[in-house]
Amino acid sequence: MRSLRRSKSSGFTLVEMVMVIIILGVMVLGVSSFVIMGTRIFVESTTVDQVLSQSRFVMERMTREIRNAVPNSLRVTKTPVSFQCIEFVPIQASASYLDLPISPEPADSAGTVMTPSLGINKDHRMLVYPLRPADIYSATPTATIGRLFDVKDYSSDSNTVTFDRAVRFSEASPRRRFFMVDNAVSYCFFANGNIRRYASYNMFNVTQPTATQMGGDAKSALMAENIVIKDGNWPIFYTPGTLINNAVVQLTPQFEVNGQAFQYQHQVQVINVP
């Protein structure tokens, strides 16, 4: 009798094993659903945070670069279809000139200027009193009269800038100001959701170049993604400056990610006194 009782009390029955398996399965299913939900929330929040960071970065960089643009150098795509670009020429250095060959004075191959805080790079060009984009983009730096010329040499000891030929600037700046410039920069918003920055392309274009003419994706940097263009509402609106007001660039890009949308309302003032 004792041996029989011991055999009956040891081990589990089939029903008990099945019940344990069912209970464990339900517990694993419940725990896994929480894990999956938590992972999904983490991935979605990380994606949203990444898009927010990209959008803030590109807006901040655009703002800083546009504020540092040469007066009257901005131009925006007039009839955007698949993209809209804003083009401008950054100021590499700027200061006042003391004596430059300016019309109606005779042409000369040298002038006297104040040294900018960033110095003068001989690879840059000297620009005086640009009143419209054509004064920059349609300029001929190798000509003898104009507003933009190549620089051959500069002596910080005598504050003398030298050109490789006798030149004459078309018009004097009321503030006796000159700019040192290099290449143009463009920011392009595409209907496919990308924002790209273009640089180091030929800036001397009578009409604003397209993204393909600037070199396409091979000569650009991807700045942000997930921008949305709805109903032809492009994000760049440019108001040229007047005699009493500075130029204003209105930026209103809209971004969407994981069903969430957010839009910027940003104004950038550009100094309009060359």
Side-chain angles (χ1 to χ4, degrees):
M1 293 294 291
R2 292 180 179 178
S3 62
L4 181 59
R5 289 177 179 176
R6 289 177 181 175
S7 63
K8 287 183 177 180
S9 61
S10 61
F12 301 95
T13 64
L14 180 59
V15 175
E16 291 173 334
M17 293 181 64
V18 171
M19 290 299 294
V20 170
I21 293 172
I22 292 175
I23 293 172
L24 289 175
V26 172
M27 292 178 62
V28 171
L29 183 61
V31 172
S32 63
S33 63
F34 280 108
V35 173
I36 293 174
M37 183 180 298
T39 303
R40 183 180 302 169
I41 293 174
F42 173 76
V43 172
E44 290 181 354
S45 62
T46 301
T47 304
V48 172
D49 185 65
Q50 182 179 6
V51 174
L52 279 171
S53 298
Q54 289 180 351
S55 63
R56 289 169 182 163
F57 168 75
V58 70
M59 292 297 292
E60 179 66 22
R61 180 157 182 176
M62 282 187 65
T63 298
R64 292 187 180 187
E65 290 198 72
I66 291 174
R67 283 176 178 167
N68 189 51
V70 171
N72 304 315
S73 70
L74 279 79
R75 53 184 183 178
V76 178
T77 305
K78 293 182 178 180
T79 55
V81 178
S82 60
F83 64 88
Q84 184 189 35
C85 297
I86 180 170
E87 184 180 33
F88 54 90
V89 176
I91 299 173
Q92 303 297 332
S94 178
S96 299
Y97 62 83
L98 302 177
D99 183 26
L100 283 177
I102 299 176
S103 181
E105 296 179 2
D108 199 344
S109 60
T112 306
V113 299
M114 298 181 65
T115 304
S117 58
L118 298 177
I120 290 182
N121 188 334
K122 293 183 294 184
D123 294 331
H124 296 163
R125 300 179 176 94
M126 179 174 285
L127 174 66
V128 174
Y129 204 46
L131 296 177
R132 54 195 180 124
D135 292 336
I136 304 170
Y137 300 109
S138 299
T140 306
T142 57
T144 57
I145 186 169
R147 300 176 189 267
L148 182 70
F149 295 113
D150 294 324
V151 174
K152 180 181 179 181
D153 199 4
Y154 177 71
S155 173
S156 57
D157 296 331
S158 60
N159 293 330
T160 301
V161 61
T162 306
F163 308 97
D164 60 0
R165 65 200 174 282
V167 300
R168 183 172 59 179
F169 288 93
S170 300
E171 197 170 352
S173 167
R175 300 183 64 181
R176 303 182 68 83
R177 191 179 184 188
F178 73 91
F179 303 97
M180 299 303 299
V181 300
D182 189 13
N183 292 314
V185 170
S186 289
Y187 280 87
C188 295
F189 294 73
F190 291 89
N192 65 4
N194 294 340
I195 302 176
R196 290 187 171 273
R197 179 183 184 273
Y198 293 84
S200 302
Y201 60 90
N202 180 25
M203 64 176 285
F204 298 109
N205 298 283
V206 176
T207 58
Q208 187 176 358
T210 64
T212 302
Q213 293 170 337
M214 288 184 286
D217 293 352
K219 290 190 176 181
S220 68
L222 180 62
M223 305 299 290
E225 298 176 297
N226 297 93
I227 189 171
V228 178
I229 308 298
K230 290 185 176 180
D231 302 324
N233 294 321
W234 293 92
I236 306 174
F237 183 78
Y238 174 55
T239 303
T242 64
L243 293 176
I244 57 175
N245 292 321
N246 289 329
V248 176
V249 177
Q250 181 81 24
L251 301 174
T252 60
Q254 179 175 332
F255 296 84
E256 282 190 7
V257 57
N258 294 335
Q260 302 183 40
F262 52 94
Q263 187 173 21
Y264 287 88
Q265 297 286 344
H266 197 58
Q267 279 190 350
V268 184
Q269 287 196 7
V270 185
I271 296 176
N272 195 43
V273 182

